[in-house]
Amino acid sequence: MKTYFILFLCYLSFASVYSQNDIQIEYGAVFKNEKREIPFDIVGKDENGYYLLYSEGKYGQGDDMFLRKFNLDLTPSGQELNLKDETYENKFSSLGVTKINDNIIHVFSLMTDTGKKYYYQFVNLNTFELSEKKFITEIENDTKNANNSISRFIISDDENTITLFYTIPNKNKETAKIRVQTFDSSFVEQTNTTYEFPYNNDVLSIRSVFSNKNKELFILCKVYDSSKILSDESKHQYEFQLFKVTSDNLKLLTKIRPNNVHLRHLSTTLFDDNKLVLTGLFSVKDMYAMTGVFSAKIDLETGKQLYANYNTLSTEFFSKLMSDGKKKDKAILKYNEGKRENPNYILKNTIKLDNDELLVLAEQNRSFTYNYVTTYYSDNIAAIKLDNQGNVIWSNKIGKRNEKANVYIYNSFFPILKNDAIYLFYNGNSKNLNHKTGFIANSFGSDESVFLSTKIDAEGNYTRHILCTKEELEGVTIRPSLYNWIDDNTLLMFGQDIDNLKNQRFIKVIFK
């Protein structure tokens, strides 16, 4: 087994050096990775250690895929498994890696001359050995290459049922088809059914596939009135349709047609009483803006819409981070006249709260390319609380500026619901601790760069706290989207040196 890690710090692996009232930070030792490879997923933990997926490239976007084991003190063990055999070449595509019971399971596909074959492999965590690949099923080329098939790999909450969902590859003017196969946790097939939608491929777009606690499968689609307007949504000639997969057919549960607004995306939030809430941002003028928040609650048994609301956000919300003056006055006037919107907002998360209330989190996202350099912007956060009828209780904007050239993995934020409060973790600037309006400093490239926690209370008020300073992190920058829970109160996060990706470390975020 090749060893790809060496430790260059030899002090105690985790030292607790920071504490605030409700959060404690523990720092792992900095370690050096000999190759230019970074992790893109923290798979899980057991009594033998921690398991991470690594790949080459500054985003972890390389073709190879390594499962690496870390010791329980989160120092590198020197053990790794290559999940992509050299013989697979460019025919390989991974559907996912997850931990089930005492194994890690990897599901992947290989392209063939006749279609696409699906396989799985187990990793024995006691011996850290990879089993031989085992065949699951095959998609055969229909009237189109199977490489165009969309695939999803879903594991039930009890980990006893595995669902493989994929589209049958055929042409745009042909009827859209899917196949659903279910297996037990050892990949013994239970069901195998093919379904047809009442639409052709050129007007149907599958947006999400999910299952409820009863292991029933649902498909959210966007259906267009005509294939001629696929690139022109300004006419709003489309609707969202929710289907339930039954043993016999696809049952249409409900339709949601935008009320003369842009409604680009709907997120799905399941409730224990077999209810579903669909949330999305809508805009009147620009599909990449936010005029307000849409919310609809669906009974998954009957398909009945219990409510459907379009909440237009207030003038106060629009101007929340603007400095007082003539520019603000002019902007407010244009907003009230319908000539301005909240620009570049993307829905990021919908979080269930007590009493069937929801917190919708959105973020200003954009990118700009000039002279072969792309700058990624992940800026201000919008937090909007909805009551159990989908109406706005309060809304607030939180100033943030993540601006980074050529790399985006340090941007954005990670939200946590803990101890009756919402915490937003992201890279920030200590100059912005008390920011409410006006100019905000960039998170990167200065001695003031820090890793922040913004705590939002039940009324929408927020305070920022420094979790880690640049000095404490010793040149490492935390990646907000790379995390896993060790236990109910301990979050494992990962960071690396932006200028030297080989220098890497973990931190633990412990909630008291």
Side-chain angles (χ1 to χ4, degrees), residues 148-206:
N148 295 283
S149 172
I150 299 171
S151 306
R152 298 289 186 272
F153 164 52
I154 302 169
I155 298 177
S156 63
D157 290 341
D158 62 10
E159 299 185 347
N160 291 325
T161 301
I162 299 170
T163 300
L164 183 62
F165 163 95
Y166 52 89
T167 58
I168 304 297
N170 54 12
K171 295 180 180 178
N172 286 341
K173 296 295 183 181
E174 296 179 325
T175 301
K177 301 177 184 178
I178 62 169
R179 183 169 296 145
V180 178
Q181 294 177 252
T182 62
F183 308 84
D184 66 16
S185 58
S186 298
F187 266 106
V188 176
E189 186 176 271
Q190 307 295 308
T191 66
N192 186 338
T193 311
T194 300
Y195 301 90
E196 289 189 1
F197 285 96
Y199 301 101
N200 290 345
N201 288 302
D202 57 355
V203 296
L204 179 78
S205 173
I206 294 175

Short mmCIF file of all heavy atoms in Angstrom, two decimals, residues 148-206:
data_model
loop_
_atom_site.label_atom_id
_atom_site.label_comp_id
_atom_site.label_asym_id
_atom_site.label_seq_id
_atom_site.Cartn_x
_atom_site.Cartn_y
_atom_site.Cartn_z
N ASN A 148 -26.50 9.49 -22.19
CA ASN A 148 -27.42 10.59 -21.93
C ASN A 148 -28.42 10.28 -20.82
O ASN A 148 -29.27 11.12 -20.51
CB ASN A 148 -28.18 10.95 -23.21
CG ASN A 148 -27.26 11.49 -24.29
OD1 ASN A 148 -26.84 12.63 -24.24
ND2 ASN A 148 -26.94 10.65 -25.27
N SER A 149 -28.33 9.10 -20.24
CA SER A 149 -29.27 8.73 -19.19
C SER A 149 -28.94 9.46 -17.88
O SER A 149 -27.79 9.64 -17.52
CB SER A 149 -29.20 7.22 -18.94
OG SER A 149 -29.96 6.85 -17.81
N ILE A 150 -29.99 9.91 -17.18
CA ILE A 150 -29.85 10.51 -15.86
C ILE A 150 -30.06 9.43 -14.81
O ILE A 150 -31.04 8.68 -14.87
CB ILE A 150 -30.89 11.63 -15.66
CG1 ILE A 150 -30.69 12.74 -16.71
CG2 ILE A 150 -30.81 12.22 -14.27
CD1 ILE A 150 -31.80 13.77 -16.72
N SER A 151 -29.16 9.32 -13.84
CA SER A 151 -29.23 8.26 -12.84
C SER A 151 -29.27 8.83 -11.43
O SER A 151 -28.64 9.85 -11.16
CB SER A 151 -28.03 7.32 -12.97
OG SER A 151 -27.89 6.83 -14.29
N ARG A 152 -29.99 8.14 -10.53
CA ARG A 152 -30.02 8.50 -9.12
C ARG A 152 -29.94 7.23 -8.28
O ARG A 152 -30.54 6.21 -8.63
CB ARG A 152 -31.29 9.27 -8.76
CG ARG A 152 -31.46 10.59 -9.47
CD ARG A 152 -30.47 11.64 -8.97
NE ARG A 152 -30.75 12.94 -9.57
CZ ARG A 152 -30.24 13.35 -10.73
NH1 ARG A 152 -29.43 12.54 -11.42
NH2 ARG A 152 -30.52 14.54 -11.20
N PHE A 153 -29.23 7.32 -7.17
CA PHE A 153 -28.99 6.20 -6.28
C PHE A 153 -29.48 6.64 -4.90
O PHE A 153 -28.95 7.59 -4.32
CB PHE A 153 -27.49 5.89 -6.32
CG PHE A 153 -26.95 5.05 -5.23
CD1 PHE A 153 -27.51 3.83 -4.91
CD2 PHE A 153 -25.81 5.45 -4.54
CE1 PHE A 153 -26.96 3.05 -3.90
CE2 PHE A 153 -25.26 4.67 -3.54
CZ PHE A 153 -25.85 3.47 -3.22
N ILE A 154 -30.54 6.00 -4.38
CA ILE A 154 -31.21 6.46 -3.15
C ILE A 154 -31.23 5.34 -2.13
O ILE A 154 -31.58 4.20 -2.46
CB ILE A 154 -32.65 6.92 -3.46
CG1 ILE A 154 -32.65 8.04 -4.51
CG2 ILE A 154 -33.36 7.39 -2.19
CD1 ILE A 154 -34.03 8.36 -5.05
N ILE A 155 -30.87 5.66 -0.88
CA ILE A 155 -30.90 4.68 0.21
C ILE A 155 -31.96 5.12 1.22
O ILE A 155 -32.03 6.29 1.61
CB ILE A 155 -29.53 4.57 0.89
CG1 ILE A 155 -28.48 4.08 -0.10
CG2 ILE A 155 -29.59 3.63 2.09
CD1 ILE A 155 -27.10 4.01 0.46
N SER A 156 -32.81 4.20 1.63
CA SER A 156 -33.87 4.52 2.58
C SER A 156 -33.28 4.87 3.94
O SER A 156 -32.14 4.53 4.25
CB SER A 156 -34.83 3.34 2.72
OG SER A 156 -34.16 2.20 3.24
N ASP A 157 -34.09 5.53 4.77
CA ASP A 157 -33.62 5.97 6.09
C ASP A 157 -33.18 4.80 6.96
O ASP A 157 -32.24 4.91 7.75
CB ASP A 157 -34.72 6.76 6.80
CG ASP A 157 -34.96 8.12 6.16
OD1 ASP A 157 -34.07 8.58 5.42
OD2 ASP A 157 -36.03 8.69 6.37
N ASP A 158 -33.84 3.66 6.82
CA ASP A 158 -33.46 2.50 7.63
C ASP A 158 -32.33 1.69 7.00
O ASP A 158 -31.91 0.66 7.53
CB ASP A 158 -34.67 1.60 7.90
CG ASP A 158 -35.28 1.02 6.63
OD1 ASP A 158 -34.67 1.14 5.54
OD2 ASP A 158 -36.39 0.45 6.70
N GLU A 159 -31.84 2.13 5.83
CA GLU A 159 -30.71 1.54 5.12
C GLU A 159 -30.99 0.12 4.64
O GLU A 159 -30.07 -0.62 4.30
CB GLU A 159 -29.44 1.55 5.99
CG GLU A 159 -28.98 2.95 6.37
CD GLU A 159 -27.67 2.98 7.13
OE1 GLU A 159 -27.23 1.89 7.57
OE2 GLU A 159 -27.09 4.05 7.29
N ASN A 160 -32.25 -0.27 4.58
CA ASN A 160 -32.60 -1.63 4.14
C ASN A 160 -33.05 -1.69 2.68
O ASN A 160 -33.18 -2.78 2.13
CB ASN A 160 -33.71 -2.20 5.03
CG ASN A 160 -33.24 -2.47 6.44
OD1 ASN A 160 -32.09 -2.86 6.64
ND2 ASN A 160 -34.11 -2.24 7.42
N THR A 161 -33.30 -0.54 2.07
CA THR A 161 -33.77 -0.52 0.68
C THR A 161 -32.93 0.45 -0.13
O THR A 161 -32.72 1.60 0.26
CB THR A 161 -35.25 -0.09 0.60
OG1 THR A 161 -36.05 -0.99 1.37
CG2 THR A 161 -35.74 -0.10 -0.83
N ILE A 162 -32.43 -0.04 -1.25
CA ILE A 162 -31.65 0.76 -2.18
C ILE A 162 -32.46 0.91 -3.46
O ILE A 162 -32.94 -0.08 -4.02
CB ILE A 162 -30.29 0.12 -2.48
CG1 ILE A 162 -29.47 0.00 -1.19
CG2 ILE A 162 -29.52 0.92 -3.52
CD1 ILE A 162 -28.21 -0.83 -1.35
N THR A 163 -32.64 2.13 -3.92
CA THR A 163 -33.39 2.39 -5.14
C THR A 163 -32.45 2.96 -6.20
O THR A 163 -31.71 3.91 -5.94
CB THR A 163 -34.53 3.39 -4.88
OG1 THR A 163 -35.42 2.85 -3.90
CG2 THR A 163 -35.32 3.65 -6.16
N LEU A 164 -32.50 2.38 -7.38
CA LEU A 164 -31.75 2.88 -8.52
C LEU A 164 -32.75 3.41 -9.54
O LEU A 164 -33.62 2.67 -10.02
CB LEU A 164 -30.90 1.77 -9.13
CG LEU A 164 -30.00 2.17 -10.31
CD1 LEU A 164 -28.98 3.21 -9.87
CD2 LEU A 164 -29.27 0.94 -10.86
N PHE A 165 -32.66 4.69 -9.81
CA PHE A 165 -33.56 5.37 -10.74
C PHE A 165 -32.75 5.85 -11.94
O PHE A 165 -31.69 6.43 -11.78
CB PHE A 165 -34.21 6.56 -10.03
CG PHE A 165 -34.85 7.57 -10.95
CD1 PHE A 165 -36.20 7.49 -11.22
CD2 PHE A 165 -34.11 8.59 -11.52
CE1 PHE A 165 -36.80 8.42 -12.06
CE2 PHE A 165 -34.69 9.52 -12.35
CZ PHE A 165 -36.05 9.43 -12.63
N TYR A 166 -33.25 5.60 -13.14
CA TYR A 166 -32.56 6.15 -14.31
C TYR A 166 -33.53 6.33 -15.47
O TYR A 166 -34.57 5.67 -15.57
CB TYR A 166 -31.36 5.29 -14.73
CG TYR A 166 -31.65 3.82 -14.94
CD1 TYR A 166 -32.05 3.33 -16.18
CD2 TYR A 166 -31.49 2.91 -13.90
CE1 TYR A 166 -32.29 1.98 -16.37
CE2 TYR A 166 -31.73 1.57 -14.07
CZ TYR A 166 -32.13 1.11 -15.33
OH TYR A 166 -32.37 -0.24 -15.51
N THR A 167 -33.19 7.26 -16.34
CA THR A 167 -34.01 7.54 -17.52
C THR A 167 -33.57 6.63 -18.66
O THR A 167 -32.39 6.30 -18.80
CB THR A 167 -33.89 9.00 -17.95
OG1 THR A 167 -32.52 9.31 -18.22
CG2 THR A 167 -34.39 9.93 -16.86
N ILE A 168 -34.53 6.21 -19.48
CA ILE A 168 -34.23 5.41 -20.67
C ILE A 168 -33.80 6.36 -21.78
O ILE A 168 -34.52 7.30 -22.10
CB ILE A 168 -35.45 4.59 -21.12
CG1 ILE A 168 -35.95 3.71 -19.98
CG2 ILE A 168 -35.13 3.77 -22.35
CD1 ILE A 168 -34.99 2.67 -19.52
N PRO A 169 -32.63 6.16 -22.39
CA PRO A 169 -32.13 7.13 -23.38
C PRO A 169 -32.84 7.01 -24.73
O PRO A 169 -32.64 6.04 -25.47
CB PRO A 169 -30.65 6.76 -23.50
CG PRO A 169 -30.60 5.30 -23.15
CD PRO A 169 -31.69 5.06 -22.15
N ASN A 170 -33.69 7.97 -25.02
CA ASN A 170 -34.29 8.03 -26.35
C ASN A 170 -34.35 9.48 -26.82
O ASN A 170 -33.93 10.39 -26.11
CB ASN A 170 -35.68 7.36 -26.36
CG ASN A 170 -36.61 7.91 -25.30
OD1 ASN A 170 -36.32 8.93 -24.68
ND2 ASN A 170 -37.71 7.24 -25.08
N LYS A 171 -34.85 9.72 -28.01
CA LYS A 171 -34.75 11.02 -28.64
C LYS A 171 -35.74 12.03 -28.07
O LYS A 171 -36.71 11.66 -27.39
CB LYS A 171 -34.95 10.87 -30.15
CG LYS A 171 -33.85 10.06 -30.82
CD LYS A 171 -34.09 9.93 -32.32
CE LYS A 171 -32.98 9.12 -32.98
NZ LYS A 171 -33.20 8.94 -34.44
N ASN A 172 -35.48 13.31 -28.38
CA ASN A 172 -36.27 14.39 -27.81
C ASN A 172 -37.76 14.27 -28.14
O ASN A 172 -38.61 14.61 -27.33
CB ASN A 172 -35.75 15.74 -28.29
CG ASN A 172 -34.45 16.12 -27.62
OD1 ASN A 172 -34.12 15.59 -26.56
ND2 ASN A 172 -33.71 17.03 -28.21
N LYS A 173 -38.08 13.83 -29.34
CA LYS A 173 -39.48 13.78 -29.77
C LYS A 173 -40.18 12.49 -29.35
O LYS A 173 -41.34 12.26 -29.70
CB LYS A 173 -39.57 13.93 -31.28
CG LYS A 173 -39.09 15.28 -31.81
CD LYS A 173 -39.99 16.42 -31.32
CE LYS A 173 -39.56 17.76 -31.90
NZ LYS A 173 -40.40 18.87 -31.40
N GLU A 174 -39.49 11.66 -28.60
CA GLU A 174 -40.07 10.40 -28.14
C GLU A 174 -40.54 10.52 -26.69
O GLU A 174 -40.11 11.40 -25.95
CB GLU A 174 -39.05 9.27 -28.28
CG GLU A 174 -38.66 9.00 -29.73
CD GLU A 174 -37.62 7.89 -29.86
OE1 GLU A 174 -36.75 7.80 -28.97
OE2 GLU A 174 -37.68 7.15 -30.85
N THR A 175 -41.40 9.61 -26.29
CA THR A 175 -41.95 9.62 -24.93
C THR A 175 -40.86 9.41 -23.89
O THR A 175 -40.01 8.52 -24.03
CB THR A 175 -43.00 8.51 -24.78
OG1 THR A 175 -44.03 8.70 -25.75
CG2 THR A 175 -43.60 8.52 -23.39
N ALA A 176 -40.87 10.24 -22.86
CA ALA A 176 -39.88 10.13 -21.79
C ALA A 176 -40.16 8.87 -20.97
O ALA A 176 -41.29 8.62 -20.55
CB ALA A 176 -39.94 11.36 -20.90
N LYS A 177 -39.12 8.07 -20.74
CA LYS A 177 -39.25 6.81 -20.01
C LYS A 177 -38.23 6.76 -18.88
O LYS A 177 -37.13 7.29 -18.99
CB LYS A 177 -39.00 5.61 -20.94
CG LYS A 177 -39.95 5.51 -22.13
CD LYS A 177 -39.55 4.33 -23.00
CE LYS A 177 -40.41 4.23 -24.25
NZ LYS A 177 -39.98 3.10 -25.11
N ILE A 178 -38.62 6.07 -17.80
CA ILE A 178 -37.69 5.85 -16.70
C ILE A 178 -37.79 4.39 -16.27
O ILE A 178 -38.77 3.69 -16.60
CB ILE A 178 -38.00 6.75 -15.48
CG1 ILE A 178 -39.40 6.44 -14.93
CG2 ILE A 178 -37.85 8.21 -15.83
CD1 ILE A 178 -39.67 7.07 -13.58
N ARG A 179 -36.78 3.93 -15.55
CA ARG A 179 -36.82 2.61 -14.93
C ARG A 179 -36.46 2.75 -13.46
O ARG A 179 -35.55 3.51 -13.10
CB ARG A 179 -35.87 1.65 -15.62
CG ARG A 179 -35.95 0.22 -15.05
CD ARG A 179 -35.21 -0.78 -15.91
NE ARG A 179 -35.84 -0.87 -17.23
CZ ARG A 179 -35.18 -1.07 -18.36
NH1 ARG A 179 -33.86 -1.18 -18.35
NH2 ARG A 179 -35.82 -1.15 -19.51
N VAL A 180 -37.19 2.05 -12.61
CA VAL A 180 -36.95 2.06 -11.17
C VAL A 180 -36.72 0.63 -10.72
O VAL A 180 -37.56 -0.24 -10.91
CB VAL A 180 -38.14 2.68 -10.41
CG1 VAL A 180 -37.88 2.62 -8.90
CG2 VAL A 180 -38.40 4.11 -10.86
N GLN A 181 -35.55 0.41 -10.12
CA GLN A 181 -35.23 -0.90 -9.55
C GLN A 181 -34.94 -0.74 -8.06
O GLN A 181 -34.29 0.23 -7.64
CB GLN A 181 -34.01 -1.51 -10.25
CG GLN A 181 -34.26 -1.86 -11.71
CD GLN A 181 -33.02 -2.40 -12.39
OE1 GLN A 181 -32.42 -1.75 -13.21
NE2 GLN A 181 -32.64 -3.62 -12.03
N THR A 182 -35.45 -1.66 -7.27
CA THR A 182 -35.16 -1.63 -5.83
C THR A 182 -34.43 -2.90 -5.43
O THR A 182 -34.62 -3.97 -6.02
CB THR A 182 -36.45 -1.48 -5.00
OG1 THR A 182 -37.29 -2.62 -5.23
CG2 THR A 182 -37.19 -0.20 -5.36
N PHE A 183 -33.58 -2.76 -4.40
CA PHE A 183 -32.73 -3.86 -3.92
C PHE A 183 -32.73 -3.82 -2.40
O PHE A 183 -33.02 -2.79 -1.79
CB PHE A 183 -31.30 -3.70 -4.43
CG PHE A 183 -31.18 -3.50 -5.91
CD1 PHE A 183 -31.33 -2.24 -6.48
CD2 PHE A 183 -30.92 -4.57 -6.74
CE1 PHE A 183 -31.21 -2.05 -7.84
CE2 PHE A 183 -30.80 -4.39 -8.12
CZ PHE A 183 -30.95 -3.12 -8.66
N ASP A 184 -32.36 -4.94 -1.79
CA ASP A 184 -32.10 -4.90 -0.35
C ASP A 184 -30.68 -4.39 -0.13
O ASP A 184 -29.97 -4.05 -1.09
CB ASP A 184 -32.37 -6.26 0.31
CG ASP A 184 -31.40 -7.35 -0.15
OD1 ASP A 184 -30.35 -7.02 -0.75
OD2 ASP A 184 -31.69 -8.53 0.09
N SER A 185 -30.22 -4.35 1.11
CA SER A 185 -28.92 -3.76 1.41
C SER A 185 -27.75 -4.60 0.89
O SER A 185 -26.61 -4.13 0.87
CB SER A 185 -28.76 -3.55 2.92
OG SER A 185 -28.90 -4.78 3.62
N SER A 186 -28.04 -5.83 0.44
CA SER A 186 -27.00 -6.68 -0.17
C SER A 186 -27.11 -6.70 -1.68
O SER A 186 -26.48 -7.52 -2.35
CB SER A 186 -27.12 -8.11 0.38
OG SER A 186 -26.91 -8.14 1.76
N PHE A 187 -27.94 -5.82 -2.24
CA PHE A 187 -28.16 -5.69 -3.67
C PHE A 187 -28.84 -6.90 -4.30
O PHE A 187 -28.58 -7.23 -5.45
CB PHE A 187 -26.87 -5.33 -4.40
CG PHE A 187 -26.73 -3.84 -4.60
CD1 PHE A 187 -25.83 -3.13 -3.86
CD2 PHE A 187 -27.52 -3.18 -5.51
CE1 PHE A 187 -25.70 -1.75 -4.01
CE2 PHE A 187 -27.41 -1.80 -5.68
CZ PHE A 187 -26.50 -1.09 -4.92
N VAL A 188 -29.70 -7.53 -3.55
CA VAL A 188 -30.60 -8.54 -4.12
C VAL A 188 -31.83 -7.79 -4.64
O VAL A 188 -32.50 -7.07 -3.89
CB VAL A 188 -31.02 -9.58 -3.08
CG1 VAL A 188 -32.03 -10.56 -3.67
CG2 VAL A 188 -29.79 -10.31 -2.55
N GLU A 189 -32.12 -7.97 -5.93
CA GLU A 189 -33.19 -7.19 -6.56
C GLU A 189 -34.56 -7.56 -6.00
O GLU A 189 -34.88 -8.73 -5.80
CB GLU A 189 -33.19 -7.41 -8.07
CG GLU A 189 -34.19 -6.53 -8.81
CD GLU A 189 -34.09 -6.69 -10.32
OE1 GLU A 189 -33.31 -5.96 -10.95
OE2 GLU A 189 -34.82 -7.57 -10.87
N GLN A 190 -35.37 -6.51 -5.72
CA GLN A 190 -36.72 -6.70 -5.22
C GLN A 190 -37.76 -6.38 -6.29
O GLN A 190 -38.73 -7.13 -6.48
CB GLN A 190 -36.96 -5.79 -4.00
CG GLN A 190 -35.92 -5.95 -2.90
CD GLN A 190 -35.93 -7.32 -2.26
OE1 GLN A 190 -36.98 -7.80 -1.82
NE2 GLN A 190 -34.78 -7.97 -2.21
N THR A 191 -37.61 -5.26 -7.00
CA THR A 191 -38.55 -4.87 -8.05
C THR A 191 -37.79 -4.30 -9.24
O THR A 191 -36.65 -3.83 -9.09
CB THR A 191 -39.56 -3.82 -7.55
OG1 THR A 191 -38.86 -2.60 -7.24
CG2 THR A 191 -40.31 -4.30 -6.32
N ASN A 192 -38.43 -4.30 -10.39
CA ASN A 192 -37.84 -3.77 -11.61
C ASN A 192 -38.98 -3.34 -12.53
O ASN A 192 -39.67 -4.19 -13.10
CB ASN A 192 -36.96 -4.82 -12.28
CG ASN A 192 -36.20 -4.27 -13.49
OD1 ASN A 192 -36.59 -3.27 -14.09
ND2 ASN A 192 -35.11 -4.95 -13.84
N THR A 193 -39.21 -2.04 -12.65
CA THR A 193 -40.38 -1.54 -13.39
C THR A 193 -39.98 -0.39 -14.30
O THR A 193 -39.21 0.49 -13.91
CB THR A 193 -41.48 -1.06 -12.42
OG1 THR A 193 -41.71 -2.05 -11.43
CG2 THR A 193 -42.78 -0.77 -13.16
N THR A 194 -40.53 -0.38 -15.51
CA THR A 194 -40.34 0.71 -16.46
C THR A 194 -41.62 1.54 -16.53
O THR A 194 -42.73 1.00 -16.55
CB THR A 194 -39.99 0.17 -17.86
OG1 THR A 194 -38.79 -0.60 -17.77
CG2 THR A 194 -39.79 1.31 -18.85
N TYR A 195 -41.46 2.87 -16.57
CA TYR A 195 -42.60 3.79 -16.60
C TYR A 195 -42.45 4.76 -17.77
O TYR A 195 -41.33 5.06 -18.20
CB TYR A 195 -42.69 4.60 -15.31
CG TYR A 195 -42.84 3.78 -14.05
CD1 TYR A 195 -41.71 3.35 -13.35
CD2 TYR A 195 -44.10 3.44 -13.56
CE1 TYR A 195 -41.84 2.61 -12.18
CE2 TYR A 195 -44.23 2.69 -12.40
CZ TYR A 195 -43.10 2.29 -11.71
OH TYR A 195 -43.23 1.55 -10.56
N GLU A 196 -43.61 5.26 -18.24
CA GLU A 196 -43.62 6.29 -19.26
C GLU A 196 -44.32 7.54 -18.72
O GLU A 196 -45.36 7.45 -18.08
CB GLU A 196 -44.36 5.81 -20.52
CG GLU A 196 -43.62 4.77 -21.32
CD GLU A 196 -44.30 4.50 -22.67
OE1 GLU A 196 -45.33 5.15 -22.95
OE2 GLU A 196 -43.78 3.66 -23.42
N PHE A 197 -43.73 8.70 -19.00
CA PHE A 197 -44.40 9.96 -18.71
C PHE A 197 -45.37 10.29 -19.84
O PHE A 197 -45.18 9.84 -20.98
CB PHE A 197 -43.38 11.10 -18.58
CG PHE A 197 -42.60 11.10 -17.30
CD1 PHE A 197 -41.34 10.52 -17.24
CD2 PHE A 197 -43.13 11.68 -16.16
CE1 PHE A 197 -40.63 10.52 -16.06
CE2 PHE A 197 -42.42 11.69 -14.97
CZ PHE A 197 -41.16 11.10 -14.92
N PRO A 198 -46.37 11.09 -19.58
CA PRO A 198 -47.29 11.50 -20.66
C PRO A 198 -46.73 12.68 -21.46
O PRO A 198 -47.49 13.52 -21.94
CB PRO A 198 -48.56 11.89 -19.89
CG PRO A 198 -48.06 12.36 -18.56
CD PRO A 198 -46.86 11.51 -18.25
N TYR A 199 -45.39 12.75 -21.58
CA TYR A 199 -44.75 13.86 -22.29
C TYR A 199 -43.54 13.33 -23.04
O TYR A 199 -42.95 12.30 -22.67
CB TYR A 199 -44.30 14.95 -21.31
CG TYR A 199 -45.41 15.54 -20.50
CD1 TYR A 199 -45.60 15.15 -19.16
CD2 TYR A 199 -46.27 16.48 -21.04
CE1 TYR A 199 -46.62 15.68 -18.41
CE2 TYR A 199 -47.31 17.02 -20.28
CZ TYR A 199 -47.48 16.62 -18.98
OH TYR A 199 -48.50 17.14 -18.24
N ASN A 200 -43.13 14.07 -24.05
CA ASN A 200 -41.89 13.77 -24.75
C ASN A 200 -40.71 14.39 -24.00
O ASN A 200 -40.87 15.31 -23.19
CB ASN A 200 -41.93 14.30 -26.18
CG ASN A 200 -42.89 13.53 -27.06
OD1 ASN A 200 -43.34 12.43 -26.70
ND2 ASN A 200 -43.24 14.09 -28.21
N ASN A 201 -39.52 13.91 -24.32
CA ASN A 201 -38.31 14.38 -23.66
C ASN A 201 -38.07 15.88 -23.84
O ASN A 201 -37.50 16.53 -22.96
CB ASN A 201 -37.09 13.62 -24.18
CG ASN A 201 -37.05 12.19 -23.68
OD1 ASN A 201 -37.04 11.95 -22.49
ND2 ASN A 201 -37.04 11.23 -24.59
N ASP A 202 -38.48 16.43 -25.00
CA ASP A 202 -38.12 17.82 -25.29
C ASP A 202 -38.94 18.83 -24.50
O ASP A 202 -38.63 20.03 -24.52
CB ASP A 202 -38.21 18.11 -26.79
CG ASP A 202 -39.59 17.83 -27.37
OD1 ASP A 202 -40.44 17.30 -26.64
OD2 ASP A 202 -39.80 18.13 -28.55
N VAL A 203 -39.97 18.39 -23.78
CA VAL A 203 -40.73 19.34 -22.96
C VAL A 203 -40.72 18.94 -21.48
O VAL A 203 -41.36 19.59 -20.66
CB VAL A 203 -42.20 19.46 -23.45
CG1 VAL A 203 -42.24 20.04 -24.85
CG2 VAL A 203 -42.93 18.13 -23.38
N LEU A 204 -40.01 17.88 -21.15
CA LEU A 204 -39.98 17.39 -19.77
C LEU A 204 -38.58 17.50 -19.20
O LEU A 204 -37.60 17.06 -19.82
CB LEU A 204 -40.44 15.93 -19.72
CG LEU A 204 -40.44 15.29 -18.32
CD1 LEU A 204 -41.66 15.75 -17.54
CD2 LEU A 204 -40.41 13.77 -18.42
N SER A 205 -38.46 18.08 -18.02
CA SER A 205 -37.18 18.18 -17.32
C SER A 205 -37.36 17.65 -15.90
O SER A 205 -38.13 18.21 -15.12
CB SER A 205 -36.70 19.64 -17.29
OG SER A 205 -35.54 19.77 -16.49
N ILE A 206 -36.66 16.56 -15.57
CA ILE A 206 -36.73 15.99 -14.22
C ILE A 206 -35.86 16.82 -13.29
O ILE A 206 -34.66 16.97 -13.52
CB ILE A 206 -36.29 14.52 -14.22
CG1 ILE A 206 -37.29 13.69 -15.04
CG2 ILE A 206 -36.18 13.98 -12.80
CD1 ILE A 206 -36.89 12.24 -15.21
#
